[in-house]
Amino acid sequence: MIRIGILGYGNLGKGVECAIRHNPDTKLVAVFTRRDPASLKIRTEGANIYSADTLEQHKDEIDVLILCGGSATDLPKQTPDAVKYYNVVDSFDTHARVPEHFENVDKAGKESGHIGIISVGWDPGMFSLARLYSNVILTDGADYTFWGRGVSQGHSDAIRRIEGVKDARQYTVPVPEAVEAVRAGKNPELTTRQKHTRECYVVAEEGADLARIENEIKTMPNYFADYDTTVYFISEEELKANHNGLPHGGSVIRTGRTGWDNENSHTIEFSLKLDSNPEFTTQVLVAFARAAYRLNQKGESGARTVFDIPPVLLAAADPAELRAHLL
Amino acid sequence: MIRIGILGYGNLGKGVECAIRHNPDTKLVAVFTRRDPASLKIRTEGANIYSADTLEQHKDEIDVLILCGGSATDLPKQTPDAVKYYNVVDSFDTHARVPEHFENVDKAGKESGHIGIISVGWDPGMFSLARLYSNVILTDGADYTFWGRGVSQGHSDAIRRIEGVKDARQYTVPVPEAVEAVRAGKNPELTTRQKHTRECYVVAEEGADLARIENEIKTMPNYFADYDTTVYFISEEELKANHNGLPHGGSVIRTGRTGWDNENSHTIEFSLKLDSNPEFTTQVLVAFARAAYRLNQKGESGARTVFDIPPVLLAAADPAELRAHLL
């Protein structure tokens, strides 16, 4: 039984708790929270709730700590800190800062003798694996990643920060013609605008200036200005009824050529269609927590990514069974 | 530079030769053939052609030997034999006999100190990886594998053995309604007949009894009797013009549920669309040859499958570069 701890009980933390239920060789031992532990209610009977300040006091109780903080400010500090006491897995998703984060976790992990697997989830995570496998096979080719249709929490938050906005949900939507051109092996060069559109469902405060809100969204740099964006003003009831989930998904597609004179073409596609982005992410986190535990049992330490993990270490079943049934 | 040898110069052997051209850190050193070496023409300048009987004489020239024989009779003997002298990679695809083949290669590889990676290609191979990754993530779910539209060489050969048949090409075709039902998460229970149909393009000898041939095909046990099979008689010219390639592909789809009460559903799909089955297979073989070489350099030996290989070992680029650009 692998004893799991969770740091942070938001969408991801709750997802890990559910994922543990789907992995009978794992057990939730404790949730660490920055809130008052007495105020937190969790679903797992028998699991402890501890203050995040007491992290270093419980290291003998837990085999792997799954970090459920955000990538902007939490994880860059939390992961190198927690790996001093625990094997850890995080879902750090700021692609540009991966090298720096990896170095920090690697140093702290090697010093403490723990494993830290970073950037686990679906992108980075399973999409990264799809990119790596397809690149090593189709060495001469082009990569495309499409996200959605799905809710982007970062973009939804950006809309909510606009004056006069009460609530909002933003969907990232791949442009069907672009996806089809890629699948057909046409190898198109696509601008940001040609790959995805953005759909915004916005609940405005009573009496707010809708035209101004719409304009502020559509012209927001980085988030919306480079996209064709559509804004729908809806009621709070409609938002709750129709936009309450966190679906997501997307596709990694690589097309490439083989043969003595590049005469043959091939398409590899990995795609996801997810009802719940956080629950899928946390199913991935728990599988990699199993690998972190096993690597550490073998005496290994330092930082790892999904690229470093032999797939066999992710599975509860033993290798001979996997060879007999899944190979 | 990884020095590669090829044993067997059929479709797969020729594919490996092409794949080496697409992997600049690899070099073709020699082709071993069971034919008269003097009669064999290969495309790579400077590579040697040796008799398969001299396998054990060239072990200092080659880092990894890629075995390009058939699974029925060649590989069960060749792989355990060749791993005595070389690190090897094969594409053994008789799923039911994998455990036995693994044991034989493992024993011989451990004795000689070489690595043998077996069952590399797309199924088994990349499809196996898709099944494993999707099973460890969606622990509660169902797997579906669809093959095609593509040429099955085994089924084409079976037709060619019928009296009065001059040549034939058989396409395995997934049933679109079945694929759609699976993608939609309907979790259907599908019989063999409901998953795939078989299309046969047959060139008959002059004066042959077409009705008898068609009946023999459609009622052939194991190969066709359990499928809806369509037979088209065509001319030799048409076969050459329209059915000369070896395209293939297919999809591995897993659907599953997550959440405290299984309330959310998800679909993972990995799909391939290949102009040339052997060339794609051999691109995979060469990537895993790189891993075999690296594992052996680290002092490892014995049998491995795609499940055992950390993805990072497949890539020519170094790990930091992969993290920076593909993660």
Side-chain angles (χ1 to χ4, degrees):
Chain A
M1 200 62 113
I2 304 171
R3 300 167 303 165
I4 307 275
I6 294 171
L7 174 56
Y9 197 68
N11 281 332
L12 275 187
K14 288 173 188 165
V16 171
E17 188 177 25
C18 293
I20 287 169
R21 206 168 144 98
H22 289 271
N23 285 275
D25 63 328
T26 66
K27 183 188 171 181
L28 180 62
V29 169
V31 173
F32 293 89
T33 179
R34 286 180 291 199
R35 293 175 258 178
D36 171 13
S39 74
L40 197 71
K41 273 210 180 325
I42 66 171
R43 289 163 129 174
T44 307
E45 278 181 48
N48 297 300
I49 303 173
Y50 297 136
S51 163
D53 299 332
T54 68
L55 207 58
E56 54 187 286
Q57 296 169 26
H58 301 283
K59 52 187 184 171
D60 296 333
E61 301 164 34
I62 289 165
D63 296 313
V64 186
L65 184 68
I66 300 181
L67 306 180
C68 299
S71 295
T73 55
D74 297 335
L75 296 175
K77 203 188 153 318
Q78 277 177 355
T79 315
D81 199 46
V83 81
K84 290 179 194 163
Y85 315 110
Y86 299 95
N87 298 308
V88 299
V89 181
D90 80 18
S91 58
F92 185 76
D93 67 0
T94 313
H95 291 259
R97 295 185 62 193
V98 162
E100 170 194 348
H101 188 57
F102 184 89
E103 291 309 321
N104 294 339
V105 175
D106 195 48
K107 187 166 177 289
K110 280 183 178 146
E111 278 168 18
S112 74
H114 292 108
I115 287 282
I117 311 183
I118 66 160
S119 301
V120 174
W122 60 275
D123 195 4
M126 298 315 298
F127 272 19
S128 319
L129 282 167
R131 284 186 284 264
L132 177 56
Y133 280 117
S134 59
N135 270 268
V136 301
I137 298 169
L138 296 179
T139 43
D140 294 293
D143 285 319
Y144 298 87
T145 302
F146 292 98
W147 295 275
R149 188 174 195 260
V151 173
S152 161
Q153 297 185 262
H155 287 79
S156 301
D157 289 344
I159 300 172
R160 282 188 207 104
R161 286 192 293 264
I162 293 173
E163 201 195 313
V165 171
K166 206 168 168 185
D167 204 350
R169 210 71 87 246
Q170 193 271 179
Y171 294 88
T172 306
V173 186
V175 174
E177 293 76 16
V179 180
E180 284 318 308
V182 168
R183 278 195 187 127
K186 291 183 187 163
N187 208 1
E189 298 231 2
L190 298 165
T191 63
T192 298
R193 191 177 299 273
Q194 287 169 324
K195 286 182 71 183
H196 297 93
T197 55
R198 299 198 175 278
E199 284 177 20
C200 313
Y201 295 82
V202 180
V203 181
E205 307 273 7
E206 224 182 284
D209 178 349
L210 303 188
R212 175 191 51 81
I213 292 174
E214 180 166 344
N215 185 57
E216 280 192 38
I217 294 172
K218 290 185 170 178
T219 58
M220 196 185 296
N222 302 320
Y223 286 87
F224 295 99
D226 298 334
Y227 298 85
D228 289 336
T229 300
T230 317
V231 177
Y232 303 96
F233 289 98
I234 61 174
S235 69
E236 200 159 10
E237 294 67 41
E238 195 182 332
L239 191 87
K240 275 202 181 120
N242 299 335
H243 306 283
N244 202 33
L246 292 169
H248 219 312
S251 299
V252 171
I253 306 175
R254 185 167 173 89
T255 57
R257 304 191 75 86
T258 67
W260 194 255
D261 294 312
N262 291 340
E263 58 271 34
N264 287 309
S265 98
H266 308 266
T267 304
I268 304 177
E269 177 166 353
F270 178 76
S271 60
L272 298 173
K273 199 165 157 288
L274 314 176
D275 269 5
S276 164
N277 181 351
E279 283 182 12
F280 187 86
T281 299
T282 52
Q283 295 278 139
V284 182
L285 284 167
V286 169
F288 280 85
R290 184 180 290 119
Y293 172 72
R294 289 171 171 176
L295 286 173
N296 190 242
Q297 290 286 103
K298 291 204 251 178
E300 296 193 25
S301 66
R304 299 287 187 278
T305 73
V306 295
F307 294 162
D308 303 302
I309 309 301
V312 69
L313 293 184
L314 303 169
D318 80 62
E321 196 182 321
L322 298 174
R323 284 193 296 273
H325 297 115
L326 293 180
L327 197 70
Chain B
M1 201 62 112
I2 304 171
R3 299 168 305 165
I4 307 276
I6 294 172
L7 174 56
Y9 197 68
N11 281 332
L12 274 187
K14 288 173 188 164
V16 171
E17 188 178 24
C18 293
I20 287 170
R21 206 167 143 98
H22 288 272
N23 284 274
D25 64 328
T26 65
K27 183 188 171 180
L28 180 62
V29 169
V31 173
F32 292 89
T33 179
R34 286 180 293 197
R35 291 176 258 176
D36 171 13
S39 75
L40 197 70
K41 273 213 181 322
I42 66 171
R43 290 165 128 173
T44 307
E45 277 181 50
N48 297 299
I49 303 173
Y50 297 135
S51 161
D53 298 334
T54 68
L55 208 58
E56 55 189 287
Q57 296 169 26
H58 301 282
K59 53 188 183 171
D60 295 334
E61 302 163 33
I62 290 166
D63 296 313
V64 186
L65 184 68
I66 301 182
L67 305 179
C68 299
S71 295
T73 56
D74 297 333
L75 297 175
K77 204 190 150 320
Q78 278 178 354
T79 315
D81 198 45
V83 81
K84 290 178 194 163
Y85 315 109
Y86 299 95
N87 298 307
V88 299
V89 181
D90 80 17
S91 58
F92 185 75
D93 67 0
T94 313
H95 291 260
R97 296 185 62 193
V98 162
E100 171 194 349
H101 188 57
F102 184 90
E103 291 310 322
N104 293 341
V105 176
D106 195 49
K107 187 165 176 290
K110 279 182 178 147
E111 278 170 18
S112 73
H114 292 108
I115 286 283
I117 312 183
I118 65 160
S119 301
V120 173
W122 61 274
D123 195 4
M126 298 314 297
F127 272 20
S128 319
L129 282 168
R131 285 186 284 265
L132 177 56
Y133 279 116
S134 60
N135 270 267
V136 301
I137 298 169
L138 297 179
T139 44
D140 294 292
D143 285 319
Y144 298 87
T145 301
F146 293 99
W147 295 274
R149 188 175 196 263
V151 173
S152 162
Q153 296 184 263
H155 287 79
S156 302
D157 289 343
I159 299 172
R160 282 189 209 106
R161 286 191 294 264
I162 293 174
E163 200 195 313
V165 170
K166 204 169 169 186
D167 204 350
R169 210 70 87 247
Q170 193 270 182
Y171 293 88
T172 306
V173 186
V175 174
E177 295 75 15
V179 180
E180 284 318 308
V182 168
R183 278 195 187 128
K186 290 182 185 163
N187 208 1
E189 299 232 359
L190 298 166
T191 63
T192 297
R193 192 176 298 273
Q194 287 169 325
K195 286 182 72 184
H196 298 92
T197 55
R198 299 198 175 277
E199 284 177 21
C200 312
Y201 295 83
V202 180
V203 181
E205 308 273 7
E206 223 181 284
D209 179 349
L210 303 188
R212 176 191 52 80
I213 292 174
E214 179 165 346
N215 184 57
E216 280 192 41
I217 294 172
K218 289 185 170 177
T219 58
M220 195 186 295
N222 302 320
Y223 285 88
F224 294 100
D226 298 335
Y227 298 85
D228 289 338
T229 300
T230 317
V231 176
Y232 303 97
F233 289 99
I234 61 174
S235 68
E236 200 160 9
E237 294 67 40
E238 194 182 334
L239 191 87
K240 276 204 180 118
N242 299 333
H243 305 283
N244 202 34
L246 292 169
H248 220 311
S251 298
V252 171
I253 305 174
R254 185 168 173 87
T255 57
R257 304 192 73 86
T258 67
W260 194 255
D261 294 313
N262 291 341
E263 59 271 35
N264 286 310
S265 98
H266 308 266
T267 304
I268 304 177
E269 177 166 353
F270 178 76
S271 58
L272 297 174
K273 198 164 158 291
L274 314 177
D275 268 5
S276 164
N277 182 351
E279 283 183 12
F280 187 86
T281 299
T282 51
Q283 294 280 138
V284 182
L285 284 166
V286 170
F288 280 85
R290 184 179 290 120
Y293 171 72
R294 290 172 171 175
L295 286 172
N296 191 242
Q297 290 286 102
K298 291 203 252 181
E300 296 193 27
S301 65
R304 302 285 187 280
T305 73
V306 295
F307 294 161
D308 302 303
I309 309 301
V312 70
L313 294 184
L314 303 170
D318 81 62
E321 196 182 320
L322 298 173
R323 285 194 295 274
H325 297 116
L326 292 180
L327 197 72

